[in-house]
Amino acid sequence: MIAIPFGKFRALPAHAFDGKVVIDAGNYYPERDVKFPELDNDESTSSELVASHLKGARLVKGFNTIYFKHLATQGDTSRPLEERRAIFIAGDDSKAKEIVARLIEEIGFAAVDTGFLHEGGRSQQPGTAVYNKEVTAKEASAFLSTD
């Protein structure tokens, strides 16, 4: 899992993640990070930039829309998946998303797939409708289908 200030992603050793499933939990905050025109102009997403830097990684955007303290308090493996707190994921590698979804389920949450990195990653950015929303998987699925 990568959980660093987005503006520092180029400091990551590009080939150290080759072949590995990598969860990108970062977010771009223009006021904190160096300016990225391709993000400010909505040409790309932060995860697409990370994926292009870590070319050999199997990148999945996830864990970026949930407050970190909620990871310790809101997971509940006894609940049915549709009643669990949603954690949104996006990625271009379906098998990698399946692996991340299983991890999310194992810790008591439910993965909700928002699609590929370009569109799905965009829907998970700060300021979007799903960012830091405490919703169940059922609520999230209904919410996303009307969006």
Side-chain angles (χ1 to χ4, degrees):
M1 179 178 290
I2 300 169
I4 61 172
F6 172 74
K8 307 286 186 191
F9 79 92
R10 289 190 176 118
L12 295 168
H15 295 290
F17 300 92
D18 286 355
K20 295 180 174 66
V21 174
V22 175
I23 302 169
D24 175 16
N27 289 305
Y28 172 56
Y29 296 103
E31 62 279 358
R32 177 197 67 192
D33 299 310
V34 175
K35 294 284 188 178
F36 288 83
E38 58 269 59
L39 300 179
D40 297 332
N41 297 333
D42 208 25
E43 296 167 14
S44 188
T45 65
S46 61
S47 291
E48 287 176 296
L49 294 182
V50 172
S52 70
H53 177 66
L54 305 178
K55 286 181 178 42
R58 302 171 64 199
L59 195 109
V60 177
K61 180 78 166 181
F63 291 91
N64 68 303
T65 63
I66 185 170
Y67 183 52
F68 75 98
K69 289 185 178 181
H70 291 173
L71 292 171
T73 61
Q74 294 185 354
D76 187 349
T77 56
S78 70
R79 289 180 162 218
L81 280 175
E82 67 272 1
E83 294 178 15
R84 294 182 189 185
R85 167 81 188 265
I87 293 181
F88 299 93
I89 63 171
D92 297 338
D93 181 326
S94 296
K95 296 290 185 197
K97 286 197 292 187
E98 289 174 16
I99 292 167
V100 173
R102 280 195 306 273
L103 168 70
I104 289 168
E105 291 172 13
E106 287 175 10
I107 62 172
F109 295 89
V112 176
D113 190 344
T114 61
F116 295 108
L117 281 181
H118 188 69
E119 292 304 322
R122 180 171 281 117
S123 73
Q124 293 175 218
Q125 296 178 136
T128 62
V130 303
Y131 187 72
N132 281 339
K133 298 292 188 267
E134 293 184 39
V135 294
T136 65
K138 183 177 181 178
E139 293 166 335
S141 295
F143 181 76
L144 289 172
S145 68
T146 61
D147 208 16

